[in-house]
Amino acid sequence: MAITIKDVARESGVNISTVSRALNNGYGVNPQTRDLVVSVASRLNYRPNRVARGLVTGRSHSMALVVSDIRNPFFAEVARGAADAARTDNCDLILCNSDLDPVRQMEYVKSLLEKRVDGILMNSVSPLSAEDQAELVECGVPIVLLNRSAASKAFSTVSADNEAGGVLAAQHLLKLGHRKIAHVTGPRQHGNLSDRTRGFVQTLEDAPRPVTPIVLHGPFNFEGGRDLSARLLAEHPETTAIFAANDVMAFGAVRTALDRGLRIPEDLSLIGFDNIEFSSIIHPPLTTIHQPKYEMGQAAVEILLRLARDKTRRTPESRVLGVELIERQSCGRRS
Amino acid sequence: MAITIKDVARESGVNISTVSRALNNGYGVNPQTRDLVVSVASRLNYRPNRVARGLVTGRSHSMALVVSDIRNPFFAEVARGAADAARTDNCDLILCNSDLDPVRQMEYVKSLLEKRVDGILMNSVSPLSAEDQAELVECGVPIVLLNRSAASKAFSTVSADNEAGGVLAAQHLLKLGHRKIAHVTGPRQHGNLSDRTRGFVQTLEDAPRPVTPIVLHGPFNFEGGRDLSARLLAEHPETTAIFAANDVMAFGAVRTALDRGLRIPEDLSLIGFDNIEFSSIIHPPLTTIHQPKYEMGQAAVEILLRLARDKTRRTPESRVLGVELIERQSCGRRS
DNA sequence: TTCATAATTGGAAACGTTTGCGACTATTTT
DNA sequence: AAAATAGTCGCAAACGTTTCCAATTATGAA
C-alpha cells in the first residue's frame, strides 16, 4: 500500500494536520517541526494523494481539451500550447477526440464534469443542440471555445484574427499584380472560415481596381482542395492565384496544379492559411497566413486558470490573436 | 453546489448506500426501489463525483500518455488510438510532453503518480538514469513503453516490427533492380532505428547478388534527411535509391533531390518509414513502410487496462505489431 | 510577576463515495 | 407452524486529505 500522511505523522510524532500544514504552505508551523516533517516525508518517499486532496479542495488540477481529432496538426499544436500552459500551474491536460460527433462530445463533457475538471477547452459547440449548449453554460465549469468568436456570448473564446488573415492574403495577391483570383474554402456555415472569406473578398472588392474573386465551398480537407481547384481550373483556366482556407486544402490545390502540368508559382500562385509544419516542407514551400496555434492553446488555459481561481465573478473573456503573412515560394508576380 | 448522493437518497427516502447500489451494479436491491432511485437521480440530474469514488476504489480511471511531442504526427496517431481505447473503459487520457528531457519526464511521472493514474504509456525511458528507471518499476503503476522492445524486461512494451520493416524496404528495392543503395537514419544509439537498419542491411547483404549499402547517421528530422542525402549524393552521385528511417527524413531527401534537379522516381528512388498522413499528400506520393500507429496506441492501453484490473500477478506483456509496405510513386525500376 | 497576545499544535469534521456487516422482512422448506 | 433461507436495506467505517476551531505553549508588554 502507498504510504500516507498518517505514516508521516506517526513517524515524526505529530498530528496529520501539522504534516499537512508543514508540507503545503508551511505557514503557522514551527520551522523546526517543519524541517523534521519535510525530512521524514522525503525519507519515507511520501507522495500526497491528489485525489483525496481534490475531494476536499474541490479542485482537481486538471483541464480538458476536446478537439475533433488530435491528428489534425492544427490541434496538435494547440494541444501542445495548452499542455505547457497547464503545466505551469501543475495542472494536467485530458485529451478527448469528438470527431465533431455531438453525442460523443456530450458524453465526454459529462464524464469530465464527473471528474470535476477545472475547465474545458473546446473546439466547437456548433454541432450541439440548443439544450446541450444551455446545459454547458449552466454546468458551472469554465469553458473556452477555440476559434468560435461568433458563438454564444456565454462562453469565453480564443481565436485568431481570421478576418485580418483574409485581408492579408488579399493584399499580398493584389500587390503581386493578380487580377484573376479564386478562393477555395470549407462548408458555408463554418464560422471562422466565413471570417477569412469576408476579409479576403471585401479587400479585393475595395481595392483601387476592384477584383471579384470566385469562391468555392467544399470539404475542408486535402480532397476538397484538390477537387475544388480542379473544377475551378477547368471552368476558369485564366485563374492566376488561389487562396485556400487552410494549408491542407492548399496542398490539394498543389496536387491539382501538378496534375494539370502547371508550375507553381510561375503559372499559378497559391496561398494557404494556418502555417502548419508541412507548409515549409512541401515543394514549393507554401506562402501562408500564420495562426498562433501554440499561443492560442496557451491563452485558452490561461483564461481557464483564471476562471478556475475566481469562483466568484466569472465573466467570460475573449481574446483574438494576431495573424501574420509568411512569404515563401508559392506566390509569384503578375504584370 | 453540485448535488450529491445524499440529495438523491433524501429525495427517494432511502439510504445513500442503497442509492449507490441502485446506480452502480444494481444487484441486491429491489427492482422497484431501483427504478425509483434511478428516476429521482435523473430528475435531479445527479452526476456521481468520480474523485470521491476514486478515493475509495483506488482507481482513478485515467491513463497517461507521455510522449516527446504531440506535434509529431506519429505520436498524434498513437494518442488517438490510445484515447479511443481508453474511452471504451470509461478512462480518459492525460497528455504529457517531455521533449525527452529526463527532468521533465520524471516530474510528470511523479505528478501522475500523485494523481493515482491507472497506467502510463511512455515514449521512452532511455534518457532516464538507472535510479529513475528503478523508481519507475518500483512505483507500482503499470507502465508500457512504446517502440522500445530492447528496453528493460521490467516494462511492458508495444512496438512495430522494425526489423521486418527494414527487410521489406530492402526486398522492394532489390526487386526493382537497384544496386546502388543508401540508407539515411537517425543517431546511432537509437534502439528501434537500429532494428530497421539491421533488417535492411542484412537483407541486402544476404541477397543472391549481395549489395552493401551506404549508411549515414544524423538528426532524426527533415533537416537530417535533407543534409544527409545532400552529402550522400555529393559523394556518391551514382546512388539510385535511398531508404530513409522515417518519412520526415524522406521528405528532406525529396527536397535535396529537387534542389539537385533530380527527378523522383526516374533518377532517384525513395522509400520512407511510418506512413504518416503527409506521405500520400507530398509529391510524388511516398512509398513507405506502414507502422500501425493507431493500433499501437490501442494495444498499449489494452495492456494497461488489463494490468490495472489484475492487481495481483502483473507480469509485463510485450506485443510487436506487423508492418506493411505501402507502394506509392517514389520508387522506380532499375535494369 | 502577571496578563495579554501571538505562535504552534491537536482534535475533529468534512469532502462524496463504496462496501462489509448486521438487521429486518418475506419466502420457502420441513 | 416453526425453522431455514433469501432478499432488501440501513448503519457505519473507510479512503486520504484539508481546514476550522480550540487548546496549549511560548513570547512580549506592563
Side-chain angles (χ1 to χ4, degrees):
Chain A
M1 215 40 224
I3 79 151
T4 76
I5 199 173
K6 289 179 190 167
D7 302 314
V8 180
R10 182 168 17 80
E11 199 76 7
S12 18
V14 299
N15 189 275
I16 60 165
S17 58
T18 304
V19 175
S20 176
R21 277 187 286 257
L23 260 29
N24 293 340
N25 43 25
Y27 191 72
V29 39
N30 188 310
Q32 291 186 21
T33 60
R34 198 190 73 89
D35 291 348
L36 172 66
V37 168
V38 166
S39 75
V40 167
S42 87
R43 178 163 57 80
L44 296 187
N45 199 17
Y46 166 68
R47 315 234 122 257
N49 184 326
R50 287 223 259 161
V51 354
R53 173 184 304 180
L55 184 57
V56 29
T57 63
R59 286 201 51 185
S60 67
H61 273 276
S62 47
M63 303 268 158
L65 173 66
V66 183
V67 294
S68 47
D69 192 344
I70 189 65
R71 290 174 291 193
N72 180 330
F74 177 84
F75 292 127
E77 182 91 30
V78 171
R80 181 64 206 258
D84 286 355
R87 202 173 77 91
T88 65
D89 199 50
N90 264 306
C91 281
D92 37 34
L93 228 219
I94 298 178
L95 174 67
C96 308
N97 300 274
S98 70
D99 288 332
L100 294 185
D101 173 358
V103 176
R104 176 121 48 102
Q105 190 165 348
M106 281 308 284
E107 277 176 8
Y108 263 131
V109 169
K110 292 188 176 188
S111 163
L112 294 169
L113 290 179
E114 293 181 1
K115 269 235 171 95
R116 302 297 189 264
V117 293
D118 296 336
I120 303 181
L121 168 47
M122 255 195 307
N123 178 19
S124 169
V125 290
S126 44
L128 265 34
S129 68
E131 307 93 72
D132 282 349
Q133 294 200 26
E135 187 173 344
L136 288 191
V137 320
E138 290 305 324
C139 72
V141 50
I143 294 184
V144 9
L145 265 28
L146 208 61
N147 246 337
R148 288 295 183 277
S149 51
S152 158
K153 284 293 156 208
F155 298 106
S156 296
T157 60
V158 167
S159 57
D161 195 339
N162 290 294
E163 183 159 358
V167 172
L168 247 32
Q171 288 173 343
H172 187 58
L173 261 21
L174 249 18
K175 200 185 67 185
L176 291 175
H178 289 274
R179 308 287 307 157
K180 301 295 184 183
I181 299 176
H183 175 43
V184 296
T185 181
R188 217 173 282 273
Q189 58 281 25
H190 209 292
N192 51 336
L193 292 191
S194 59
D195 287 348
R196 292 173 198 175
T197 301
R198 179 161 10 93
F200 186 70
V201 173
Q202 199 103 306
T203 304
L204 293 181
E205 290 178 342
D206 292 353
R209 293 174 54 204
V211 174
T212 302
I214 296 165
V215 177
L216 294 177
H217 295 271
F220 195 44
N221 54 27
F222 179 79
E223 287 76 20
R226 186 189 57 195
D227 299 346
L228 248 32
S229 54
R231 208 172 77 206
L232 170 78
L233 293 173
E235 296 174 9
H236 302 278
E238 73 280 9
T239 303
T240 65
I242 300 178
F243 169 42
N246 75 355
D247 286 350
V248 176
M249 289 193 83
F251 297 157
V254 170
R255 169 69 56 86
T256 292
L258 253 25
D259 287 348
R260 300 176 64 93
L262 297 170
R263 293 161 305 162
I264 301 172
E266 293 81 358
D267 302 319
L268 182 67
S269 288
L270 272 177
I271 180 167
F273 204 109
D274 278 355
N275 191 30
I276 63 177
E277 194 190 358
F278 278 89
S279 305
S280 65
I281 285 181
I282 203 170
H283 187 85
L286 186 71
T287 292
T288 189
I289 307 295
H290 172 78
Q291 280 201 75
K293 304 167 282 295
Y294 183 92
E295 291 81 4
M296 287 166 72
Q298 247 183 338
V301 314
E302 278 164 14
I303 291 179
L304 250 21
L305 248 20
R306 197 179 55 69
L307 257 28
R309 272 190 272 265
D310 290 18
K311 282 201 192 269
T312 54
R313 52 161 190 69
R314 278 189 172 168
T315 104
E317 172 177 352
S318 286
R319 284 180 58 181
V320 4
L321 277 60
V323 298
E324 197 181 340
L325 172 70
I326 307 289
E327 269 196 81
R328 286 197 272 251
Q329 289 135 56
S330 65
C331 287
R333 179 166 296 281
R334 268 322 135 104
S335 53
Chain B
M1 219 37 225
I3 78 154
T4 76
I5 200 174
K6 290 179 189 168
D7 302 313
V8 180
R10 184 169 13 84
E11 198 76 7
S12 11
V14 299
N15 189 277
I16 61 166
S17 59
T18 306
V19 175
S20 175
R21 278 185 283 256
L23 261 28
N24 292 339
N25 42 25
Y27 192 73
V29 39
N30 188 310
Q32 291 186 19
T33 60
R34 198 190 72 89
D35 290 349
L36 172 66
V37 168
V38 167
S39 74
V40 167
S42 87
R43 179 161 57 80
L44 295 186
N45 199 19
Y46 166 69
R47 316 231 120 263
N49 184 326
R50 286 222 260 161
V51 353
R53 173 183 306 181
L55 184 57
V56 30
T57 62
R59 286 201 51 187
S60 67
H61 273 276
S62 46
M63 302 269 160
L65 172 67
V66 184
V67 295
S68 48
D69 193 343
I70 190 63
R71 290 174 291 194
N72 181 330
F74 176 84
F75 292 128
E77 182 93 28
V78 171
R80 181 64 207 257
D84 286 355
R87 203 173 74 93
T88 65
D89 200 49
N90 264 307
C91 281
D92 37 33
L93 226 222
I94 297 177
L95 174 68
C96 307
N97 300 274
S98 70
D99 288 333
L100 294 185
D101 173 358
V103 176
R104 177 120 48 103
Q105 190 166 347
M106 282 309 283
E107 278 177 8
Y108 263 131
V109 169
K110 293 190 173 184
S111 163
L112 293 168
L113 291 179
E114 294 182 1
K115 269 234 170 95
R116 302 298 190 263
V117 294
D118 296 336
I120 302 181
L121 167 47
M122 256 194 308
N123 179 20
S124 170
V125 291
S126 44
L128 265 36
S129 68
E131 307 94 71
D132 282 349
Q133 294 199 28
E135 189 174 343
L136 288 191
V137 320
E138 289 306 325
C139 74
V141 50
I143 294 183
V144 10
L145 265 26
L146 206 62
N147 246 338
R148 287 296 182 278
S149 52
S152 157
K153 285 293 157 212
F155 298 106
S156 296
T157 60
V158 167
S159 58
D161 195 339
N162 290 295
E163 182 158 359
V167 172
L168 247 33
Q171 288 174 340
H172 186 59
L173 260 20
L174 247 19
K175 200 185 68 187
L176 290 175
H178 289 274
R179 307 285 308 155
K180 301 294 185 183
I181 299 177
H183 175 44
V184 296
T185 181
R188 216 172 284 271
Q189 58 281 28
H190 209 294
N192 51 337
L193 292 192
S194 59
D195 287 348
R196 292 174 199 174
T197 300
R198 179 161 9 91
F200 185 70
V201 172
Q202 198 105 307
T203 304
L204 292 181
E205 289 178 342
D206 291 353
R209 294 175 53 207
V211 173
T212 301
I214 295 165
V215 178
L216 294 178
H217 295 270
F220 194 44
N221 55 26
F222 178 80
E223 287 74 21
R226 186 191 58 195
D227 299 345
L228 247 33
S229 54
R231 207 173 76 204
L232 170 77
L233 292 174
E235 296 174 7
H236 303 277
E238 72 280 9
T239 304
T240 65
I242 300 177
F243 169 43
N246 76 356
D247 286 351
V248 176
M249 289 192 84
F251 298 156
V254 170
R255 169 68 57 86
T256 292
L258 255 23
D259 287 349
R260 299 177 64 94
L262 296 172
R263 293 162 306 162
I264 301 171
E266 292 82 357
D267 302 321
L268 182 67
S269 287
L270 273 177
I271 181 166
F273 205 108
D274 277 357
N275 191 29
I276 63 176
E277 193 191 358
F278 278 88
S279 304
S280 65
I281 285 181
I282 203 170
H283 185 85
L286 186 73
T287 292
T288 188
I289 306 297
H290 173 79
Q291 278 201 78
K293 302 168 283 296
Y294 183 93
E295 291 78 5
M296 287 166 73
Q298 248 183 336
V301 311
E302 278 164 14
I303 292 179
L304 250 20
L305 249 19
R306 194 179 57 67
L307 256 29
R309 273 189 271 267
D310 290 18
K311 283 200 191 270
T312 54
R313 52 162 193 67
R314 278 188 171 168
T315 105
E317 171 178 352
S318 285
R319 285 180 56 183
V320 4
L321 279 60
V323 297
E324 196 182 340
L325 173 70
I326 307 287
E327 268 195 82
R328 285 197 274 251
Q329 288 134 55
S330 65
C331 287
R333 178 167 297 281
R334 268 324 136 101
S335 53

